[in-house]
Amino acid sequence: MREPLWRRARSRLTSRVRGDRPTLRRRLLTLTVCFAAGLMITVSAINARGTDLRPARNTDLADLVRSESARNSDLAAEVAEMRAEVDRLTAASGTVPADTERASELSRQVGLEPVAGPGVTVTLTDAPVSIDPVGVDGDLLVVHQQDIQAVVNVLWQGGAEAMTIQGQRVIPTTGIKCVGNTVVLHGVPYAPPYVISAVGEPGALEAALAGSPQVGIYRQYVEAYGLGYAQRTESRLELPGFTGGTTLSWAGPRRDS
């Protein structure tokens, strides 16, 4: 028996309505998303005002490199101009060769110039830890600043032209100071062995060391308690010039504000 025409028409209408409902929801959702996207683009365009909102890192680095390169070029040009000005002023001053030679000699005397020649090296060392004599103060078994100063003074008296301690050039303002179990020289602490090298006539330097009462006392401790003393004649020593600061500084009274 065939289904009545009115029932078939009602069934088709119901199916069409049920099929259209999801389509309508999808269309409304699509319109909503498009509207939101358009709104975001519009806001971004207004805020950007024609600029890139996501500048590339490579672009930033390239700009930095170009900026620093230009800065370096400017500084190099400035240095070249200053050097040219110094050369011009030097030429205009009419420096006398004798003055230049005198300045060089003074620099050598105060220790600012390297010096090479024969000489003597003295090495002072603490007594071994294994040596611990009964009733002897441990301070007597180590090298002190006065021991180093005694050797330095004797070498100067023996005619030394230049000298180093631990490889540092000795100048008129050089100070030697004990701090704990180290010796501080030009602000740098050193542990033993302490190496003192002097350029000068080896025979005269050795004679001065042999005749020094202060060095003789130290050698008595060497024999009694095992402190180290080594002396070596050098056919050639190469001593560097002093490169540190030459300005003296000292403590002063406190000024309360």
Side-chain angles (χ1 to χ4, degrees), residues 42-255:
T42 302
V43 172
S44 298
I46 294 174
N47 291 334
R49 295 181 181 179
T51 60
D52 187 2
L53 294 178
R54 296 184 300 108
R57 294 182 60 186
N58 291 337
T59 302
D60 292 342
L61 291 175
D63 291 341
L64 179 61
V65 169
R66 283 192 293 268
S67 176
E68 291 301 318
S69 297
R71 181 171 178 270
N72 290 339
S73 298
D74 294 340
L75 291 176
E78 184 177 350
V79 169
E81 292 177 1
M82 294 180 66
R83 286 178 177 173
E85 181 68 11
V86 170
D87 293 340
R88 186 185 67 79
L89 294 175
T90 302
S93 64
T95 304
V96 179
D99 293 339
T100 303
E101 183 178 352
R102 177 60 176 166
S104 178
E105 176 63 19
L106 291 175
S107 296
R108 187 187 68 81
Q109 290 179 3
V110 300
L112 303 181
E113 298 292 334
V115 174
V120 171
T121 294
V122 176
T123 303
L124 308 179
T125 312
D126 293 348
V129 179
S130 58
I131 296 180
D132 188 15
V134 178
V136 177
D137 191 342
D139 286 343
L140 300 177
L141 306 178
V142 298
V143 179
H144 291 280
Q145 66 184 55
Q146 61 265 28
D147 301 321
I148 300 175
Q149 288 171 340
V151 173
V152 169
N153 292 337
V154 169
L155 291 173
W156 286 131
Q157 293 170 4
E161 301 175 15
M163 196 179 310
T164 60
I165 303 174
Q166 303 298 82
Q168 286 207 50
R169 186 69 175 272
V170 177
I171 61 174
T173 58
T174 296
I176 304 170
K177 182 180 180 181
C178 272
V179 177
N181 60 347
T182 64
V183 170
V184 177
L185 180 67
H186 298 310
V188 180
Y190 293 98
Y194 301 108
V195 181
I196 307 163
S197 296
V199 169
E201 202 284 309
L205 297 177
E206 291 173 344
L209 290 168
S212 168
Q214 293 82 4
V215 176
I217 293 174
Y218 179 86
R219 286 186 170 180
Q220 293 177 5
Y221 280 86
V222 171
E223 296 177 0
Y225 304 120
L227 277 76
Y229 179 90
Q231 182 177 311
R232 184 174 67 252
T233 302
E234 306 282 5
S235 60
R236 180 177 175 81
L237 287 169
E238 295 184 359
L239 308 184
F242 181 72
T243 57
T246 57
T247 302
L248 292 175
S249 59
W250 55 88
R254 178 177 176 180
R255 297 181 179 179

Side-chain angles (χ1 to χ4, degrees), residues 22-38:
T23 301
L24 180 59
R25 286 198 297 271
R26 286 196 297 269
R27 289 179 179 176
L28 292 175
L29 180 60
T30 300
L31 290 175
T32 302
V33 171
C34 292
F35 176 78

